[in-house]
């Protein structure tokens, strides 16, 4: 019998956490509920969840800080839950490495669908990369080394910290220099066909990449107005 996937629910509203847990147990997931940020950080290494449902408005350590702490330790998928629907809050959550963002109140069927979609994308990525680790998945340009095998980026000899999705986007673009990709193509390839977010997600991640990697005379991340983005490299710079 296959081992159940584990989901940690972090929400200070116990009734909401219990309701979410019931939905997920019905779908054959194993769940663990915690009700504050500190407890989530403490429970993470022992429970080892396959996915975290993370409320933003938590007592003490808020959801943003919990996400930062988790991202420093692992690339476990995170879906943020919040009553805040402003673009700023969504953007901040995505910048910190969240894989999805849901606004309360939400439909239980949509929540389950998003959980399944995020887990499917994560599992497909893991299965695809595992057999390739021996040869390595690296792209190099003057002043830039992107290593997808160990999820590291070096810019002008210095290590650059990036959430997984930023690094995957950079690697995808840099692997096909001078090829233009639409926002929809980038969403499909990095976030998956089932992703229910909008194309602003791509814009946010490109903006963050540009801030961390200003580029040089040999390469840059360029906007192709009205279409999307490309990793622009001069001939012979790769």
């Amino acid at each position: 019998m296959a081992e159940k996937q584990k989901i940690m629910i972090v929400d200070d509203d116990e009734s909401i956490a219990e309701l979410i847990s019931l939905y997920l147990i019905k779908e054959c997931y194993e769940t663990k509920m915690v009700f504050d940020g500190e407890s989530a950080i403490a429970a993470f290494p022992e429970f080892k969840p396959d996915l975290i449902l993370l409320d933003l408005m938590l007592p003490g350590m808020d959801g943003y800080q919990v996400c930062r702490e988790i991202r420093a330790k692992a690339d476990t998928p995170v879906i943020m839950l919040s009553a805040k629907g402003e673009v700023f809050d969504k953007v901040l959550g995505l910048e910190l490495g969240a894989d999805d963002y849901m606004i309360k109140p939400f439909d239980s069927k949509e929540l389950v669908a998003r959980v399944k979609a995020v887990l499917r994308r994560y599992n497909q990525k893991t299965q695809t990369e595992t057999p390739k680790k021996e040869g390595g998945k690296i792209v190099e340009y003057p002043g830039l080394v992107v290593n997808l095998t160990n999820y590291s980026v070096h810019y002008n000899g210095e290590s650059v910290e990036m959430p997984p999705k930023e690094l995957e986007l950079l690697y995808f673009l840099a692997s096909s220099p001078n090829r233009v990709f639409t926002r929809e193509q980038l969403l499909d390839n990095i976030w998956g066909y089932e992703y229910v977010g909008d194309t602003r997600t791509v814009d946010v991640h490109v903006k963050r990449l540009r801030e961390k990697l200003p580029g040089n005379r040999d390469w840059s991340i360029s906007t192709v107005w009205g279409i999307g983005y490309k990793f622009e490299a001069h001939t012979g710079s790769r």
Side-chain angles (χ1 to χ4, degrees), residues 81 87 231:
L81 310 175
V87 172
F231 187 95

Side-chain angles (χ1 to χ4, degrees), residues 63 65 78-79 117 129 131 137-138 152-153 168 192 202:
Q65 185 59 37
V78 175
I79 298 178
E129 291 173 4
K137 299 175 73 173
I138 303 172
S152 67
V153 176
E168 291 166 15
V202 175

Side-chain angles (χ1 to χ4, degrees), residues 43 50 72 89 101 115 126 147 154 172 181 185 203 208 210:
D50 296 290
D89 298 297
Y101 188 108
V115 165
T126 302
N147 188 328
H154 284 81
F172 183 80
F181 293 96
Q185 287 174 320
D203 297 334
R208 296 291 292 173
R210 286 172 170 164

Side-chain angles (χ1 to χ4, degrees), residues 1-218:
M1 184 176 181
E3 186 177 348
K4 291 182 179 181
Q5 290 184 293
K6 298 187 290 187
I7 299 176
M8 186 161 70
I9 303 161
V10 187
D11 199 312
D12 63 327
D13 189 323
E14 295 188 22
S15 60
I16 290 179
E18 289 172 358
L19 191 59
I20 292 173
S21 180
L22 287 174
Y23 293 145
L24 295 172
I25 290 172
K26 186 177 179 181
E27 296 292 327
C28 297
Y29 294 105
E30 179 183 347
T31 66
K32 181 177 182 64
M33 296 178 291
V34 294
F35 308 112
D36 61 76
E38 289 82 359
S39 297
I41 298 301
F44 177 78
E46 181 178 353
F47 185 59
K48 297 179 180 177
D50 296 290
L51 181 143
I52 300 171
L53 292 172
L54 178 61
D55 184 36
L56 290 184
M57 303 299 290
L58 297 170
M61 181 185 294
D62 65 19
Y64 293 122
Q65 185 59 37
V66 173
C67 189
R68 289 189 190 96
E69 295 282 341
I70 295 298
R71 277 288 164 263
K73 301 174 182 177
D75 63 348
T76 303
V78 175
I79 298 178
M80 288 186 169
L81 310 175
S82 178
K84 294 183 175 182
E86 290 80 3
V87 172
F88 171 81
D89 298 297
K90 295 180 183 179
V91 167
L92 181 56
L94 293 169
E95 287 180 346
L96 291 174
D99 296 85
D100 204 347
Y101 188 108
M102 291 193 70
I103 300 172
K104 296 179 177 180
F106 43 75
D107 181 80
S108 60
K109 292 182 180 179
E110 181 185 359
L111 173 65
V112 171
R114 292 203 190 198
V115 165
K116 290 180 177 178
V118 170
L119 282 171
R120 186 158 51 245
R121 292 197 303 270
Y122 182 79
N123 292 335
Q124 287 174 346
K125 181 193 77 173
T126 302
Q127 292 167 6
T128 299
E129 291 173 4
T130 299
K132 298 181 180 180
K133 285 188 176 180
E134 184 177 351
K137 299 175 73 173
I138 303 172
V139 290
E140 297 185 48
Y141 293 88
L144 178 67
V145 179
V146 186
N147 188 328
L148 194 62
T149 299
N150 61 14
Y151 273 70
S152 67
V153 176
H154 284 81
Y155 177 67
N156 292 336
E158 299 291 331
S159 178
V160 180
E161 294 297 323
M162 288 186 183
K165 284 291 181 283
E166 277 183 25
L167 193 148
E168 291 166 15
L169 176 61
L170 174 63
Y171 180 87
F172 183 80
L173 289 169
S175 296
S176 300
N178 301 316
R179 177 178 172 182
V180 179
F181 293 96
T182 66
R183 291 171 176 82
E184 289 77 12
Q185 287 174 320
L186 294 172
L187 278 176
D188 288 345
N189 281 279
I190 307 303
W191 284 265
Y193 290 99
E194 302 92 346
Y195 183 71
V196 291
D198 58 42
T199 55
R200 285 178 296 183
T201 299
V202 175
D203 297 334
V204 168
H205 283 70
V206 168
K207 176 177 178 290
R208 296 291 292 173
L209 285 174
R210 286 172 170 164
E211 290 173 351
K212 296 175 181 178
L213 309 170
N216 59 29
R217 63 183 182 181
D218 295 299

